[in-house]
Short mmCIF file of all heavy atoms in Angstrom, two decimals:
data_model
loop_
_atom_site.label_atom_id
_atom_site.label_comp_id
_atom_site.label_asym_id
_atom_site.label_seq_id
_atom_site.Cartn_x
_atom_site.Cartn_y
_atom_site.Cartn_z
N ARG A 819 2.60 -39.95 19.43
CA ARG A 819 3.28 -41.18 19.06
C ARG A 819 3.50 -41.19 17.55
O ARG A 819 4.42 -41.73 17.16
CB ARG A 819 2.58 -42.38 19.58
CG ARG A 819 2.62 -42.62 21.04
CD ARG A 819 1.76 -43.77 21.43
NE ARG A 819 2.01 -44.21 22.84
CZ ARG A 819 1.28 -45.09 23.52
NH1 ARG A 819 0.18 -45.56 22.83
NH2 ARG A 819 1.46 -45.36 24.68
N VAL A 843 5.80 -53.94 15.44
CA VAL A 843 4.42 -53.88 15.56
C VAL A 843 3.87 -53.28 14.29
O VAL A 843 4.22 -52.19 13.97
CB VAL A 843 3.99 -53.13 16.84
CG1 VAL A 843 2.48 -53.07 16.98
CG2 VAL A 843 4.64 -53.80 18.04
N ASN A 851 -2.08 -53.67 15.48
CA ASN A 851 -1.17 -54.06 16.54
C ASN A 851 -0.81 -55.52 16.47
O ASN A 851 -0.88 -56.22 17.50
CB ASN A 851 -1.78 -53.74 17.94
CG ASN A 851 -1.86 -52.14 18.06
OD1 ASN A 851 -1.32 -51.45 17.39
ND2 ASN A 851 -2.66 -51.79 19.18
N LEU A 853 2.05 -58.47 15.62
CA LEU A 853 3.50 -58.63 15.61
C LEU A 853 3.93 -59.17 14.17
O LEU A 853 3.31 -60.05 13.65
CB LEU A 853 3.97 -59.52 16.67
CG LEU A 853 4.11 -58.98 18.11
CD1 LEU A 853 4.66 -60.04 18.98
CD2 LEU A 853 4.90 -57.72 18.17
N PRO A 896 -7.96 -47.10 29.16
CA PRO A 896 -6.56 -46.83 29.46
C PRO A 896 -5.50 -47.75 28.82
O PRO A 896 -4.55 -47.47 28.39
CB PRO A 896 -6.42 -46.52 30.99
CG PRO A 896 -7.85 -46.11 31.27
CD PRO A 896 -8.74 -46.89 30.37
N ASP A 897 -5.84 -49.00 29.08
CA ASP A 897 -4.92 -50.05 28.60
C ASP A 897 -4.75 -49.98 27.04
O ASP A 897 -3.67 -50.30 26.55
CB ASP A 897 -5.36 -51.52 29.03
CG ASP A 897 -5.31 -51.62 30.58
OD1 ASP A 897 -4.54 -50.89 31.18
OD2 ASP A 897 -5.97 -52.57 31.13
N ASP A 898 -5.78 -49.62 26.42
CA ASP A 898 -5.77 -49.56 24.95
C ASP A 898 -4.92 -48.37 24.56
O ASP A 898 -4.27 -48.46 23.49
CB ASP A 898 -7.13 -49.45 24.29
CG ASP A 898 -7.97 -50.68 24.68
OD1 ASP A 898 -7.39 -51.81 24.74
OD2 ASP A 898 -9.21 -50.57 24.94
N LEU A 899 -4.99 -47.26 25.27
CA LEU A 899 -4.31 -46.14 24.84
C LEU A 899 -2.85 -46.13 25.20
O LEU A 899 -2.01 -45.68 24.48
CB LEU A 899 -5.09 -44.87 25.44
CG LEU A 899 -6.43 -44.59 24.96
CD1 LEU A 899 -7.10 -43.35 25.71
CD2 LEU A 899 -6.41 -44.20 23.42
N VAL A 900 -2.56 -46.51 26.45
CA VAL A 900 -1.24 -46.39 26.94
C VAL A 900 -0.32 -47.45 26.31
O VAL A 900 0.75 -47.17 25.75
CB VAL A 900 -1.23 -46.65 28.53
CG1 VAL A 900 0.17 -46.74 29.07
CG2 VAL A 900 -2.00 -45.44 29.17
N GLY A 901 -0.94 -48.80 26.17
CA GLY A 901 -0.08 -49.82 25.58
C GLY A 901 -0.49 -50.04 24.24
O GLY A 901 -1.30 -49.26 23.64
N PHE A 902 0.05 -51.06 23.59
CA PHE A 902 -0.41 -51.42 22.23
C PHE A 902 -1.48 -52.50 22.17
O PHE A 902 -2.19 -52.60 21.15
CB PHE A 902 0.82 -51.95 21.47
CG PHE A 902 1.77 -50.87 21.00
CD1 PHE A 902 3.00 -50.63 21.72
CD2 PHE A 902 1.51 -50.01 19.99
CE1 PHE A 902 3.77 -49.69 21.34
CE2 PHE A 902 2.30 -48.98 19.59
CZ PHE A 902 3.46 -48.87 20.24
N LYS A 903 -1.59 -53.28 23.32
CA LYS A 903 -2.61 -54.32 23.35
C LYS A 903 -2.58 -55.21 22.08
O LYS A 903 -3.37 -55.10 21.18
CB LYS A 903 -4.08 -53.74 23.56
CG LYS A 903 -5.01 -54.81 24.05
CD LYS A 903 -6.42 -54.27 24.35
CE LYS A 903 -7.34 -55.33 24.84
NZ LYS A 903 -8.59 -54.87 25.15
N LEU A 904 -1.51 -55.98 22.09
CA LEU A 904 -1.19 -56.73 20.80
C LEU A 904 -2.30 -57.73 20.53
O LEU A 904 -3.13 -58.18 21.25
CB LEU A 904 0.10 -57.55 21.05
CG LEU A 904 1.46 -56.76 21.20
CD1 LEU A 904 2.55 -57.72 21.46
CD2 LEU A 904 1.64 -55.84 20.07
N PHE A 905 -2.32 -57.96 19.17
CA PHE A 905 -3.29 -58.92 18.62
C PHE A 905 -2.93 -60.32 18.94
O PHE A 905 -1.79 -60.70 18.73
CB PHE A 905 -3.39 -58.63 17.09
CG PHE A 905 -3.84 -59.87 16.37
CD1 PHE A 905 -5.27 -60.15 16.35
CD2 PHE A 905 -3.05 -60.62 15.66
CE1 PHE A 905 -5.79 -61.24 15.65
CE2 PHE A 905 -3.55 -61.82 14.98
CZ PHE A 905 -4.80 -61.97 14.91
N LEU A 906 -3.92 -61.06 19.43
CA LEU A 906 -3.66 -62.50 19.71
C LEU A 906 -4.76 -63.20 18.89
O LEU A 906 -5.97 -62.93 18.95
CB LEU A 906 -3.80 -62.80 21.16
CG LEU A 906 -2.58 -62.36 22.07
CD1 LEU A 906 -2.93 -62.65 23.45
CD2 LEU A 906 -1.34 -63.15 21.59
N ALA A 925 5.67 -49.53 15.85
CA ALA A 925 6.75 -49.59 16.87
C ALA A 925 7.77 -50.59 16.45
O ALA A 925 7.51 -51.60 15.77
CB ALA A 925 6.16 -49.95 18.24
N ARG A 968 4.78 -66.55 20.85
CA ARG A 968 5.31 -66.62 22.22
C ARG A 968 5.61 -65.20 22.85
O ARG A 968 5.25 -64.91 23.95
CB ARG A 968 6.60 -67.46 22.41
CG ARG A 968 7.07 -67.78 23.74
CD ARG A 968 8.30 -68.59 23.81
NE ARG A 968 8.07 -69.91 23.10
CZ ARG A 968 8.60 -70.22 21.97
NH1 ARG A 968 9.51 -69.42 21.36
NH2 ARG A 968 8.41 -71.39 21.38
N LEU A 969 6.11 -64.32 21.99
CA LEU A 969 6.44 -63.00 22.38
C LEU A 969 5.17 -62.21 22.56
O LEU A 969 5.09 -61.42 23.59
CB LEU A 969 7.24 -62.31 21.24
CG LEU A 969 7.86 -61.00 21.59
CD1 LEU A 969 8.93 -61.05 22.70
CD2 LEU A 969 8.64 -60.32 20.28
N ALA A 970 4.15 -62.37 21.73
CA ALA A 970 2.78 -61.73 22.03
C ALA A 970 2.15 -62.14 23.29
O ALA A 970 1.59 -61.39 23.98
CB ALA A 970 1.99 -62.01 20.79
N GLN A 971 2.25 -63.46 23.53
CA GLN A 971 1.62 -63.93 24.74
C GLN A 971 2.29 -63.50 26.10
O GLN A 971 1.72 -63.19 27.08
CB GLN A 971 1.59 -65.40 24.81
CG GLN A 971 0.58 -65.99 23.75
CD GLN A 971 0.71 -67.46 23.62
OE1 GLN A 971 1.69 -68.09 24.16
NE2 GLN A 971 -0.24 -68.12 22.90
N ALA A 972 3.70 -63.26 25.89
CA ALA A 972 4.49 -62.83 27.16
C ALA A 972 4.32 -61.41 27.31
O ALA A 972 4.41 -60.88 28.41
CB ALA A 972 5.99 -63.12 26.86
N HIS A 973 4.04 -60.54 26.27
CA HIS A 973 3.83 -59.15 26.41
C HIS A 973 2.51 -58.72 25.74
O HIS A 973 2.46 -58.19 24.58
CB HIS A 973 4.97 -58.33 25.76
CG HIS A 973 6.34 -58.65 26.26
ND1 HIS A 973 6.88 -58.31 27.45
CD2 HIS A 973 7.26 -59.62 25.74
CE1 HIS A 973 8.05 -58.79 27.64
NE2 HIS A 973 8.28 -59.67 26.61
N PRO A 974 1.35 -58.99 26.34
CA PRO A 974 0.11 -58.63 25.72
C PRO A 974 -0.09 -57.09 25.56
O PRO A 974 -0.81 -56.69 24.69
CB PRO A 974 -0.94 -59.16 26.69
CG PRO A 974 -0.23 -59.33 28.07
CD PRO A 974 1.26 -59.58 27.77
N SER A 975 0.52 -56.34 26.36
CA SER A 975 0.35 -54.80 26.17
C SER A 975 1.49 -54.28 25.35
O SER A 975 1.62 -53.01 25.31
CB SER A 975 0.45 -54.18 27.56
OG SER A 975 1.67 -54.30 28.26
N GLY A 976 2.22 -55.09 24.70
CA GLY A 976 3.23 -54.56 23.74
C GLY A 976 4.70 -54.98 24.16
O GLY A 976 5.01 -54.95 25.37
N PRO A 977 5.50 -55.37 23.28
CA PRO A 977 6.89 -55.72 23.65
C PRO A 977 7.66 -54.50 23.92
O PRO A 977 7.30 -53.41 23.54
CB PRO A 977 7.40 -56.40 22.36
CG PRO A 977 6.64 -55.85 21.23
CD PRO A 977 5.28 -55.47 21.77
N PRO A 978 8.84 -54.68 24.61
CA PRO A 978 9.70 -53.51 24.90
C PRO A 978 10.19 -53.04 23.46
O PRO A 978 10.64 -53.72 22.64
CB PRO A 978 10.80 -54.14 25.66
CG PRO A 978 10.75 -55.62 25.48
CD PRO A 978 9.28 -55.95 25.24
N THR A 979 10.14 -51.68 23.36
CA THR A 979 10.51 -50.96 22.13
C THR A 979 11.81 -50.23 22.30
O THR A 979 12.28 -49.88 23.36
CB THR A 979 9.39 -50.04 21.68
OG1 THR A 979 9.14 -49.09 22.76
CG2 THR A 979 8.14 -50.91 21.50
N GLU A 1004 0.19 -40.40 29.37
CA GLU A 1004 -0.10 -41.73 29.85
C GLU A 1004 -0.52 -41.71 31.36
O GLU A 1004 -1.37 -42.47 31.83
CB GLU A 1004 1.06 -42.62 29.53
CG GLU A 1004 1.35 -42.99 28.27
CD GLU A 1004 2.61 -43.68 28.00
OE1 GLU A 1004 3.32 -44.02 28.93
OE2 GLU A 1004 2.99 -44.05 26.77
N ARG A 1008 -4.18 -42.87 32.87
CA ARG A 1008 -4.33 -43.88 33.87
C ARG A 1008 -5.14 -43.31 35.09
O ARG A 1008 -5.82 -44.12 35.78
CB ARG A 1008 -3.02 -44.33 34.36
CG ARG A 1008 -2.34 -45.26 33.32
CD ARG A 1008 -1.10 -45.99 33.95
NE ARG A 1008 -0.42 -46.74 32.97
CZ ARG A 1008 0.72 -46.39 32.32
NH1 ARG A 1008 1.22 -45.25 32.67
NH2 ARG A 1008 1.32 -47.24 31.53
#
Side-chain angles (χ1 to χ4, degrees):
R819 282 179 174 171
V843 179
N851 292 346
L853 282 185
D897 292 340
D898 301 323
L899 293 173
V900 173
F902 285 103
K903 195 173 183 182
L904 293 179
F905 158 75
L906 285 174
R968 188 180 303 112
L969 190 62
Q971 292 173 345
H973 304 281
S975 60
T979 58
E1004 290 174 1
R1008 287 193 181 98

